[in-house]
């Protein structure tokens, strides 16, 4: 079976946000897949997706602090037309990547106990973010 | 349907290069896929693939500047046999990753408006680069 | 065909470890796939998978040195409950990513000559690591 569906995530402030339940809730067809894959793809170049610790808000805050330090606004950027948060957002987006491929087993995302899906919003005012989810398997 | 094809990208200088049209042109069979995935895989360890802003050459130049600063040639590398650009190239390749999985919808790559495929060439003289493209869907 | 199987990797010390043969050995069914994909997924948030140079141990040592410098234990982390190596491990895990999608051709992983699968162990005492391998194709 193949399924493809857009999932629109509401605007969020700059930072790292847990969206596992939102993604799962938008894909009730997961229940019908015994073995397969779920591909989540963000259609933007200044936000990204990653998988990380799903329990402690501290972890997500520390992600923000480290990425802001590693890819600072204060750098010799030449592409500055869209604001100081724009070019760092592009770099961060590629470091973390635009897609996640998640295995599906027995009707569920086969994540580890501590794994959750993060929306990584790298802009100050990024607006709503569009994910394209593709689910296939048997 | 399944299709697998090698795409050879001509040698490019160190930096970030937009290759979306080249990849699309090499895969006319995309037109026959209603829903599916296109997997692009680079068979090298000192070049990589990413998705980012497809309009401004400034952005690609800034990618080069940031990555050269973050992973400098001047570091306590032990693996120096293949030249000062080699070890940084390996690290950059893993930070950005060797593969892209792109959703296919209605006969096209379902990229966002601003998303383009970058060949990330991390060596000074990397030579031609071999991609293995795999396309499957229905 | 679809196959899904857990592969348990034995505990390894912090660092980068070549596990290509171990992964291949656990998936003899690769031989029956003419064209397809093999998805490797690590079910942890403080270890990751990447693809890089499969010959020189120097390269893997240099990976360790660079990542320890780029994501240091000595940083203004707020999530410190699980030890000084924990929060850097989470960041490194997301920089490198939890999954690899590898093309399969003529019954083999279609890796480049120099590409090998690295288990990236970011904790001092990470314990055994569980991979979920999913193989599909025709």
């Amino acid at each position: 079976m193949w399924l493809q569906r857009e999932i629109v995530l509401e605007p969020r402030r700059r930072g790292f946000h847990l969206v596992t339940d939102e993604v799962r809730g938008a894909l009730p067809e997961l229940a019908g897949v015994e073995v397969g894959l779920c591909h989540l793809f963000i259609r933007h170049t200044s936000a990204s997706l990653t998988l990380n610790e799903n329990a402690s808000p501290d972890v997500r805050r520390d992600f923000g602090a480290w990425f802001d330090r590693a890819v600072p606004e204060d750098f010799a950027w030449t592409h500055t037309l869209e604001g100081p948060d724009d070019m760092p957002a592009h770099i961060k987006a590629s470091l973390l990547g635009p897609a996640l491929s998640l295995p599906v087993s027995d009707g569920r995302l086969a994540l580890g106990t501590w794994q959750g899906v993060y929306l990584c919003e790298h802009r100050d005012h990024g607006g709503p973010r569009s994910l394209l989810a593709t689910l296939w398997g048997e």
Side-chain angles (χ1 to χ4, degrees), chain A:
Chain A
M1 69 87 92
W2 281 89
L3 172 92
Q4 207 166 52
R5 178 174 298 146
E6 189 186 12
I7 304 173
V8 180
L9 302 176
E10 57 175 20
R12 281 171 168 91
R13 62 178 175 71
R14 177 164 156 177
F16 292 76
H17 306 278
L18 201 54
V19 297
T20 322
D21 288 346
E22 211 168 325
V23 167
R24 244 190 311 236
L27 297 170
E29 293 86 351
L30 279 166
V33 180
E34 203 187 319
V35 50
L37 263 289
C38 177
H39 183 258
L40 302 174
F41 182 74
I42 195 162
R43 301 177 74 194
H44 305 273
T45 61
S46 56
S48 46
L49 297 174
T50 195
L51 222 57
N52 220 290
E53 210 261 23
N54 60 14
S56 177
D58 287 357
V59 172
R60 299 192 293 280
R61 197 161 44 225
D62 285 347
F63 262 77
W66 186 84
F67 276 91
D68 283 349
R69 174 79 73 89
V71 194
E73 298 195 356
D74 178 17
F75 186 82
W77 306 117
T78 62
H79 180 78
T80 55
L81 220 85
E82 297 169 58
D85 61 329
D86 183 58
M87 198 54 228
H90 288 309
I91 303 278
K92 292 170 185 174
S94 277
L95 285 172
L96 291 161
L100 288 174
S101 292
L102 307 175
V104 181
S105 303
D106 295 327
R108 300 148 155 254
L109 295 178
L111 303 178
T113 313
W114 301 103
Q115 287 180 312
V117 178
Y118 285 16
L119 167 67
C120 317
E121 175 55 73
H122 305 304
R123 299 293 317 251
D124 289 330
H125 305 284
R129 296 300 194 172
S130 164
L131 298 192
L132 190 60
T134 306
L135 178 65
W136 70 103
E138 58 174 22

